[in-house]
Amino acid sequence: MPELPEVETVRRGLAARVRGRRIVAVTVGRDRAVRRVGAAAVIAGLEGAAIEVVRRRGKYLLADLDNGARLMIHLGMSGRIVLAPGSEPRPLHSHVVVGFAGSAGECEEMRFVDPRTFGEVAVYDQDDEARIVPELARLGVDPVAEEFDARVLFGALDGRRGALKPLLLSQRAVAGIGNIYADEILHRARLRWDRTVPSLGRRGVGALARWIPEVLNEAIEAGGSTLADAGYADVEGRPGSFAGRHLVYGRAGDMCLTCRRARIVRVVAAGRSTSYCPRCQR
DNA sequence: AAACAAACCTGTGCGC
DNA sequence: TGCGCACAGGTTTGTT
């Protein structure tokens, strides 16, 4: 479900709603959700601490606590963060529940809900991050950062020789793009999924550098993509509206909305369903 | 380096 | 109505 725009939408919701709040209770209902550090470390690191700042690296949510610990959340395929009153029944698959001290006796809960359990929650000392979450060091540049431009992208592509779609999904050159946005970005840049990095030239790199942030920022504005199965929602439970603006993802067999003269084709690339227009994208 | 398959899980939608 | 299968937003690991 969650790619950079969805994770960023969740980050903003958390920054607005739980920053500064103190954690008074932590429940782990499924050990697999905390497999990296174990339930004891999650509970010990969170209880009694207050959230100071909520950041994002690629698809990773990182919250710093006032006790020197850091909370890392990855939503995986089906993860959600739901803020709700403790009195409200917990959704199925609420694997980790964090209770906050309430100002007016109302104890709000942050629930990590994840049916497929590919997501995870970890808590560790901020100084130990490189050892506990080594993959953070291998993430590529942030495509919605101020400084992202054609120069930065060109540098990030240095030494790469393979096809664009697997590269975008790898997180190693650019961090945060998943299956939906890879296809949407490549369509708007008019590049096929199997174009190789060395074949791009100035124009190709320029098109990517323009459309990567344009698509992602537009999707953030829309609150992300909520598909027909309605799996994704922000921390208040509101769906995102960017799915209505998808030009290729989920449109295999339909007419291309850009050229209106060819049908969207679906293939499997990098083990993932890949949709593109054979006429517009070269 | 790069491409692929399999693994980790549960839920949903579709054809029969 | 029920069953079996395909498929789903991610990432890692192992194999060509």
Side-chain angles (χ1 to χ4, degrees):
Chain A
M1 154 199 8
E3 305 181 30
L4 188 153
E6 291 76 32
V7 176
E8 175 63 17
T9 300
V10 169
R11 186 199 70 75
R12 292 180 182 187
L14 289 177
R17 295 283 308 279
V18 308
R19 188 175 45 183
R21 299 196 60 183
R22 192 159 299 279
I23 295 164
V24 293
V26 180
T27 308
V28 175
R30 183 149 178 172
D31 285 337
R32 180 170 154 74
V34 294
R35 55 195 176 277
R36 191 181 298 246
V37 297
V42 169
I43 293 167
L46 292 182
E47 276 187 349
I51 294 178
E52 289 187 321
V53 59
V54 187
R55 295 176 293 115
R56 177 189 57 73
R57 268 293 278 139
K59 301 171 193 169
Y60 293 77
L61 284 167
L62 303 168
D64 286 352
L65 303 158
D66 65 355
N67 62 353
R70 181 165 293 153
L71 165 66
M72 181 278 276
I73 300 172
H74 195 294
L75 300 175
M77 245 356 199
S78 59
R80 282 181 302 151
I81 297 292
V82 181
L83 298 182
S87 57
E88 205 171 277
R90 293 172 182 170
L92 199 59
H93 305 298
S94 295
H95 304 317
V96 181
V97 177
V98 173
F100 295 101
S103 48
E106 191 192 36
C107 179
E108 197 144 11
E109 288 185 351
M110 175 174 76
R111 296 153 174 180
F112 172 74
V113 183
D114 186 17
R116 290 182 71 185
T117 72
F118 291 165
E120 61 166 321
V121 172
V123 179
Y124 45 86
D125 196 284
Q126 288 165 28
D127 299 330
D128 295 337
E129 182 162 83
R131 181 172 60 82
I132 307 284
V133 198
E135 64 265 40
L136 289 177
R138 284 179 245 124
L139 292 178
V141 298
D142 185 331
V144 295
E146 274 294 320
E147 58 272 22
F148 183 86
D149 61 10
R151 276 183 68 101
V152 171
L153 178 62
F154 188 80
L157 295 177
D158 186 46
R160 310 280 173 187
R161 317 217 82 236
L164 290 177
K165 171 96 183 218
L167 178 62
L168 291 177
L169 293 182
S170 77
Q171 312 299 306
R172 294 163 88 80
V174 177
I177 297 169
N179 204 37
I180 294 176
Y181 296 103
D183 283 3
E184 294 299 319
I185 287 163
L186 289 172
H187 179 75
R188 287 165 176 80
R190 303 199 162 224
L191 296 166
R192 268 173 57 131
W193 65 273
D194 56 351
R195 274 289 291 275
T196 62
V197 173
S199 79
L200 286 180
R202 275 181 98 87
R203 285 177 66 91
V205 175
L208 269 184
R210 171 188 169 195
W211 287 106
I212 287 173
E214 189 145 331
V215 168
L216 296 176
N217 281 314
E218 204 180 310
I220 291 169
E221 289 294 305
S225 297
T226 295
L227 304 183
D229 64 15
Y232 164 77
D234 69 11
V235 297
E236 322 280 357
R238 290 181 302 242
S241 63
F242 193 74
R245 280 186 267 169
H246 290 176
L247 298 181
V248 288
Y249 184 87
R251 298 197 63 252
D254 296 344
M255 202 56 78
C256 174
L257 295 170
T258 302
C259 70
R260 301 189 183 274
R261 295 183 62 179
R263 293 187 184 277
I264 302 303
V265 171
R266 193 190 89 103
V267 298
V268 174
R272 314 297 300 280
S273 140
T274 298
S275 301
Y276 68 99
C277 173
R279 190 165 184 277
C280 307
Q281 294 173 249
R282 302 283 170 178

